[in-house]
Amino acid sequence: MATEEPTDPRTLLRGGLPDRYLTPDDIAELFGVPLETVYQWRRKRTGPPGFRIGKHVRYDPDEVGAYVTQRKNVDRVAA
């Protein structure tokens, strides 16, 4: 019996990131921000690192996880 994968990226983050590259829509959903914010992060180089596959931007789940960990550490030090 096949199990259905959760489609909510926030659920995936809590249970571990998926074994696929993430889209800008996934990133927006993960962080609960508008899609335009994700594009602004990319332009300003302030968000999780992304890369291009042709005309499409993708995010490595491992790098997104590392970005989250790094941001948590920065916030703990600043607090």
Side-chain angles (χ1 to χ4, degrees):
M1 184 164 116
T3 59
E4 190 173 314
E5 289 187 37
T7 56
D8 182 353
R10 289 173 294 190
T11 302
L12 294 172
L13 183 58
R14 285 190 292 272
L17 291 169
D19 291 334
R20 64 173 177 80
Y21 292 119
L22 302 169
T23 66
D25 288 324
D26 292 333
I27 298 299
E29 185 71 23
L30 276 169
F31 293 109
V33 298
L35 183 58
E36 183 56 34
T37 298
V38 175
Y39 291 129
Q40 287 176 12
W41 288 344
R42 181 153 167 80
R43 281 191 298 274
K44 295 177 181 179
R45 299 179 190 265
T46 60
F51 61 96
R52 285 198 166 279
I53 298 292
K55 65 179 182 176
H56 304 284
V57 176
R58 295 294 182 259
Y59 296 85
D60 185 322
D62 292 333
E63 290 183 4
V64 173
Y67 171 79
V68 169
T69 300
Q70 183 260 338
R71 293 301 311 153
K72 284 181 178 178
N73 290 336
V74 167
D75 286 347
R76 285 185 187 127
V77 170

